[in-house]
Amino acid sequence: MEIKGYGDTVIIRQDPSITVSDYTIGGGLTYQVPTSTVVELPIDTAKSFSFQVNDIDRVQSDLNLMNRFSQAAANDLKVAVDLNCFTKVSAGIAAANKGATAGADSGNINLGAASADGSAAISLTETNIIKMLMLMNQVLDEQSAPEDGRWVVLPPWACTRALLSELKDASLAGDGTSILRNGRIGVIGNLEIYRSRNLPTVTETAVVSTKIFAGHSMGLTWASQITETESMKNPSDFGDLVRGLAVYGVKVTKGEALVELYAKQGALT
């Protein structure tokens, strides 16, 4: 469906569950009629940008100011949308997939929690970050999330700790060049690593903790569209006015397919 504007609803059809039964020769088969679950994604958030390009500045500059300002606006718009979307994810994650007693089967995986002074957040260092990523992977395993297509989003400081972990040894990473040399973290376990400065943070006394998310694409849906971009002559000055509007929606569709690690920066050695 094409998004035409704020207030639209995107209809998403999810794959049905198929019943698996025991088979005996001559026993006959019962055919299930699969029914897709329909998820409605409301396009309920909007972000805008607007700026002016003065004619004198345009003449005196050796740059194409209109293009440069438009690119800067698109960049800043992406950051604002990312931050807003990540902030909405946490509330939809299954209770068994976060906190100090995570794990649908085990119930004993400590993924960190909020506290008054930040003491309950997991302190991530180069010696334990791989362990914590594997525990997040285990939480997904215990919810029977598909193994292919899993991902994790790390803040830059956590990526540094991953690069300084035992994976800097090329033989352990299964590569001819260590990740410390090529700067590419890639896949750890089944988790494709992504980097973002836009993960939500919480300040508890003097401690800043970050909500780090992992999961599978089935757990989250998102749709966006820049619906308006226009320029016009500035009615009160010489130059042009440029403005744009982006509308989007984000929704957790399966909280069991998402994991949250509540972590803080541990000391580098």
Side-chain angles (χ1 to χ4, degrees):
M1 171 184 173
E2 180 184 355
I3 299 173
K4 295 182 179 178
Y6 182 88
D8 281 357
T9 299
V10 177
I11 305 299
I12 301 165
R13 297 189 180 276
Q14 295 183 305
D15 292 337
S17 296
I18 303 297
T19 302
V20 177
S21 306
D22 292 334
Y23 173 74
T24 55
I25 297 174
L29 297 174
T30 300
Y31 290 89
Q32 177 185 352
V33 180
T35 304
S36 296
T37 303
V38 174
V39 174
E40 294 187 355
L41 174 63
I43 306 302
D44 56 2
T45 312
K47 298 285 186 184
S48 67
F49 63 84
S50 55
F51 59 86
Q52 64 177 4
V53 181
N54 187 274
D55 282 344
I56 294 177
D57 290 338
R58 178 160 38 201
V59 170
Q60 292 180 343
S61 175
D62 60 349
L63 303 173
N64 186 326
L65 293 184
M66 187 74 78
N67 285 347
R68 291 295 290 267
F69 291 171
S70 296
Q71 290 170 5
N75 236 9
D76 292 340
L77 180 65
K78 176 182 178 296
V79 170
V81 171
D82 277 358
L83 182 58
N84 183 262
C85 287
F86 280 132
T87 302
K88 294 181 177 182
V89 170
S90 182
I93 296 177
N97 290 21
K98 57 184 177 179
T101 56
D105 300 328
S106 55
N108 61 1
I109 299 174
N110 184 6
L111 296 180
S115 61
D117 58 0
S119 59
I122 300 297
S123 180
L124 279 186
T125 68
E126 63 264 41
T127 59
N128 73 352
I129 187 168
I130 304 304
K131 169 187 172 183
M132 295 311 303
L133 290 175
M134 291 305 93
L135 288 174
M136 296 177 82
N137 212 28
Q138 179 184 334
V139 170
L140 291 172
D141 288 340
E142 293 187 12
Q143 294 282 20
S144 300
E147 294 186 13
D148 294 334
R150 294 184 187 181
W151 48 263
V152 62
V153 183
L154 297 178
W157 61 262
C159 289
T160 296
R161 282 151 179 79
L163 287 165
L164 294 174
S165 71
E166 63 266 28
L167 289 179
K168 65 186 177 185
D169 182 337
S171 64
L172 292 175
D175 200 351
T177 305
S178 76
I179 63 172
L180 190 59
R181 290 187 59 190
N182 63 25
R184 178 184 179 273
I185 302 176
V187 179
I188 298 177
N190 325 32
L191 299 174
E192 179 78 30
I193 309 294
Y194 294 92
R195 185 189 324 242
S196 176
R197 292 183 64 237
N198 302 322
L199 291 166
T201 59
V202 180
T203 301
E204 298 163 325
T205 311
V207 177
V208 178
S209 298
T210 303
K211 294 182 178 182
I212 296 173
F213 302 120
H216 186 271
S217 57
M218 69 188 297
L220 188 67
T221 187
W222 175 81
S224 174
Q225 181 75 44
I226 296 179
T227 57
E228 302 285 348
T229 53
E230 55 190 20
S231 64
M232 64 202 78
K233 298 305 293 182
N234 190 339
S236 58
D237 202 349
F238 293 103
D240 296 294
L241 301 177
V242 180
R243 61 190 184 186
L245 176 66
V247 297
Y248 62 94
V250 61
K251 187 173 186 176
V252 172
T253 51
K254 190 174 180 63
E256 293 79 9
L258 299 172
V259 183
E260 177 183 301
L261 172 64
Y262 197 87
K264 59 189 176 185
Q265 298 186 48
L268 289 170
T269 57

PDB file of all heavy atoms in Angstrom, residues 10-16 35-41 221 253:
ATOM      1  N   VAL A  10      -1.409   1.033   7.259  1.00  0.00           N
ATOM      2  CA  VAL A  10      -0.822   0.010   6.401  1.00  0.00           C
ATOM      3  C   VAL A  10      -1.255  -1.354   6.916  1.00  0.00           C
ATOM      4  O   VAL A  10      -1.123  -1.648   8.111  1.00  0.00           O
ATOM      5  CB  VAL A  10       0.720   0.114   6.389  1.00  0.00           C
ATOM      6  CG1 VAL A  10       1.325  -1.006   5.553  1.00  0.00           C
ATOM      7  CG2 VAL A  10       1.148   1.467   5.850  1.00  0.00           C
ATOM      8  N   ILE A  11      -1.785  -2.191   6.029  1.00  0.00           N
ATOM      9  CA  ILE A  11      -2.228  -3.534   6.392  1.00  0.00           C
ATOM     10  C   ILE A  11      -1.101  -4.522   6.115  1.00  0.00           C
ATOM     11  O   ILE A  11      -0.605  -4.611   4.988  1.00  0.00           O
ATOM     12  CB  ILE A  11      -3.494  -3.945   5.616  1.00  0.00           C
ATOM     13  CG1 ILE A  11      -4.616  -2.908   5.824  1.00  0.00           C
ATOM     14  CG2 ILE A  11      -3.945  -5.333   6.030  1.00  0.00           C
ATOM     15  CD1 ILE A  11      -5.047  -2.748   7.260  1.00  0.00           C
ATOM     16  N   ILE A  12      -0.704  -5.258   7.143  1.00  0.00           N
ATOM     17  CA  ILE A  12       0.393  -6.224   7.027  1.00  0.00           C
ATOM     18  C   ILE A  12      -0.153  -7.611   7.348  1.00  0.00           C
ATOM     19  O   ILE A  12      -0.759  -7.817   8.403  1.00  0.00           O
ATOM     20  CB  ILE A  12       1.537  -5.873   7.994  1.00  0.00           C
ATOM     21  CG1 ILE A  12       2.063  -4.466   7.685  1.00  0.00           C
ATOM     22  CG2 ILE A  12       2.656  -6.888   7.921  1.00  0.00           C
ATOM     23  CD1 ILE A  12       2.917  -3.892   8.774  1.00  0.00           C
ATOM     24  N   ARG A  13       0.056  -8.543   6.428  1.00  0.00           N
ATOM     25  CA  ARG A  13      -0.397  -9.917   6.650  1.00  0.00           C
ATOM     26  C   ARG A  13       0.776 -10.771   7.098  1.00  0.00           C
ATOM     27  O   ARG A  13       1.801 -10.842   6.424  1.00  0.00           O
ATOM     28  CB  ARG A  13      -1.024 -10.483   5.367  1.00  0.00           C
ATOM     29  CG  ARG A  13      -2.266  -9.725   4.938  1.00  0.00           C
ATOM     30  CD  ARG A  13      -3.005 -10.415   3.812  1.00  0.00           C
ATOM     31  NE  ARG A  13      -4.178  -9.654   3.423  1.00  0.00           N
ATOM     32  CZ  ARG A  13      -5.352  -9.733   4.037  1.00  0.00           C
ATOM     33  NH1 ARG A  13      -5.496 -10.559   5.060  1.00  0.00           N
ATOM     34  NH2 ARG A  13      -6.376  -9.000   3.643  1.00  0.00           N
ATOM     35  N   GLN A  14       0.622 -11.416   8.255  1.00  0.00           N
ATOM     36  CA  GLN A  14       1.674 -12.256   8.802  1.00  0.00           C
ATOM     37  C   GLN A  14       1.464 -13.714   8.406  1.00  0.00           C
ATOM     38  O   GLN A  14       0.335 -14.156   8.160  1.00  0.00           O
ATOM     39  CB  GLN A  14       1.703 -12.143  10.325  1.00  0.00           C
ATOM     40  CG  GLN A  14       2.070 -10.748  10.827  1.00  0.00           C
ATOM     41  CD  GLN A  14       2.150 -10.706  12.331  1.00  0.00           C
ATOM     42  OE1 GLN A  14       1.215 -11.069  13.031  1.00  0.00           O
ATOM     43  NE2 GLN A  14       3.285 -10.260  12.847  1.00  0.00           N
ATOM     44  N   ASP A  15       2.582 -14.457   8.346  1.00  0.00           N
ATOM     45  CA  ASP A  15       2.491 -15.874   8.008  1.00  0.00           C
ATOM     46  C   ASP A  15       1.725 -16.629   9.091  1.00  0.00           C
ATOM     47  O   ASP A  15       1.933 -16.395  10.291  1.00  0.00           O
ATOM     48  CB  ASP A  15       3.893 -16.479   7.867  1.00  0.00           C
ATOM     49  CG  ASP A  15       4.631 -15.936   6.653  1.00  0.00           C
ATOM     50  OD1 ASP A  15       3.953 -15.471   5.720  1.00  0.00           O
ATOM     51  OD2 ASP A  15       5.876 -15.977   6.654  1.00  0.00           O
ATOM     52  N   PRO A  16       0.848 -17.559   8.689  1.00  0.00           N
ATOM     53  CA  PRO A  16       0.097 -18.336   9.684  1.00  0.00           C
ATOM     54  C   PRO A  16       0.950 -19.435  10.297  1.00  0.00           C
ATOM     55  O   PRO A  16       2.021 -19.778   9.785  1.00  0.00           O
ATOM     56  CB  PRO A  16      -1.039 -18.937   8.846  1.00  0.00           C
ATOM     57  CG  PRO A  16      -0.429 -19.092   7.486  1.00  0.00           C
ATOM     58  CD  PRO A  16       0.491 -17.919   7.310  1.00  0.00           C
ATOM     59  N   THR A  35      -4.903 -19.383   8.055  1.00  0.00           N
ATOM     60  CA  THR A  35      -5.467 -18.038   8.084  1.00  0.00           C
ATOM     61  C   THR A  35      -4.384 -17.048   8.490  1.00  0.00           C
ATOM     62  O   THR A  35      -3.755 -17.217   9.535  1.00  0.00           O
ATOM     63  CB  THR A  35      -6.639 -17.949   9.083  1.00  0.00           C
ATOM     64  OG1 THR A  35      -7.622 -18.928   8.737  1.00  0.00           O
ATOM     65  CG2 THR A  35      -7.259 -16.563   9.060  1.00  0.00           C
ATOM     66  N   SER A  36      -4.168 -16.061   7.646  1.00  0.00           N
ATOM     67  CA  SER A  36      -3.163 -15.049   7.952  1.00  0.00           C
ATOM     68  C   SER A  36      -3.689 -14.071   8.993  1.00  0.00           C
ATOM     69  O   SER A  36      -4.848 -13.652   8.944  1.00  0.00           O
ATOM     70  CB  SER A  36      -2.774 -14.274   6.691  1.00  0.00           C
ATOM     71  OG  SER A  36      -2.152 -15.121   5.756  1.00  0.00           O
ATOM     72  N   THR A  37      -2.842 -13.726   9.932  1.00  0.00           N
ATOM     73  CA  THR A  37      -3.172 -12.697  10.911  1.00  0.00           C
ATOM     74  C   THR A  37      -2.898 -11.331  10.284  1.00  0.00           C
ATOM     75  O   THR A  37      -1.861 -11.113   9.674  1.00  0.00           O
ATOM     76  CB  THR A  37      -2.330 -12.854  12.185  1.00  0.00           C
ATOM     77  OG1 THR A  37      -2.541 -14.158  12.728  1.00  0.00           O
ATOM     78  CG2 THR A  37      -2.697 -11.806  13.220  1.00  0.00           C
ATOM     79  N   VAL A  38      -3.844 -10.446  10.428  1.00  0.00           N
ATOM     80  CA  VAL A  38      -3.708  -9.107   9.869  1.00  0.00           C
ATOM     81  C   VAL A  38      -3.269  -8.135  10.961  1.00  0.00           C
ATOM     82  O   VAL A  38      -3.871  -8.084  12.040  1.00  0.00           O
ATOM     83  CB  VAL A  38      -5.029  -8.623   9.242  1.00  0.00           C
ATOM     84  CG1 VAL A  38      -4.921  -7.168   8.798  1.00  0.00           C
ATOM     85  CG2 VAL A  38      -5.400  -9.503   8.063  1.00  0.00           C
ATOM     86  N   VAL A  39      -2.191  -7.417  10.696  1.00  0.00           N
ATOM     87  CA  VAL A  39      -1.701  -6.396  11.620  1.00  0.00           C
ATOM     88  C   VAL A  39      -1.884  -5.039  10.958  1.00  0.00           C
ATOM     89  O   VAL A  39      -1.495  -4.839   9.804  1.00  0.00           O
ATOM     90  CB  VAL A  39      -0.211  -6.615  11.969  1.00  0.00           C
ATOM     91  CG1 VAL A  39       0.320  -5.466  12.820  1.00  0.00           C
ATOM     92  CG2 VAL A  39      -0.033  -7.936  12.685  1.00  0.00           C
ATOM     93  N   GLU A  40      -2.495  -4.112  11.680  1.00  0.00           N
ATOM     94  CA  GLU A  40      -2.670  -2.759  11.169  1.00  0.00           C
ATOM     95  C   GLU A  40      -1.574  -1.861  11.730  1.00  0.00           C
ATOM     96  O   GLU A  40      -1.380  -1.776  12.938  1.00  0.00           O
ATOM     97  CB  GLU A  40      -4.049  -2.212  11.552  1.00  0.00           C
ATOM     98  CG  GLU A  40      -5.196  -2.963  10.894  1.00  0.00           C
ATOM     99  CD  GLU A  40      -6.536  -2.295  11.157  1.00  0.00           C
ATOM    100  OE1 GLU A  40      -6.570  -1.311  11.932  1.00  0.00           O
ATOM    101  OE2 GLU A  40      -7.542  -2.747  10.587  1.00  0.00           O
ATOM    102  N   LEU A  41      -0.846  -1.208  10.827  1.00  0.00           N
ATOM    103  CA  LEU A  41       0.217  -0.287  11.229  1.00  0.00           C
ATOM    104  C   LEU A  41      -0.250   1.135  10.969  1.00  0.00           C
ATOM    105  O   LEU A  41      -0.305   1.588   9.822  1.00  0.00           O
ATOM    106  CB  LEU A  41       1.495  -0.574  10.436  1.00  0.00           C
ATOM    107  CG  LEU A  41       2.651   0.410  10.637  1.00  0.00           C
ATOM    108  CD1 LEU A  41       3.129   0.398  12.086  1.00  0.00           C
ATOM    109  CD2 LEU A  41       3.794   0.088   9.684  1.00  0.00           C
ATOM    110  N   THR A 221       7.732  -4.069  12.644  1.00  0.00           N
ATOM    111  CA  THR A 221       7.388  -3.561  11.321  1.00  0.00           C
ATOM    112  C   THR A 221       7.438  -2.044  11.340  1.00  0.00           C
ATOM    113  O   THR A 221       7.162  -1.407  12.364  1.00  0.00           O
ATOM    114  CB  THR A 221       6.005  -4.053  10.867  1.00  0.00           C
ATOM    115  OG1 THR A 221       5.779  -3.663   9.508  1.00  0.00           O
ATOM    116  CG2 THR A 221       4.886  -3.483  11.733  1.00  0.00           C
ATOM    117  N   THR A 253       5.339  -6.316  16.263  1.00  0.00           N
ATOM    118  CA  THR A 253       4.349  -7.293  15.810  1.00  0.00           C
ATOM    119  C   THR A 253       4.468  -8.630  16.534  1.00  0.00           C
ATOM    120  O   THR A 253       3.515  -9.401  16.586  1.00  0.00           O
ATOM    121  CB  THR A 253       4.498  -7.533  14.297  1.00  0.00           C
ATOM    122  OG1 THR A 253       5.869  -7.816  13.994  1.00  0.00           O
ATOM    123  CG2 THR A 253       4.071  -6.299  13.520  1.00  0.00           C
TER     124      THR A 253
END
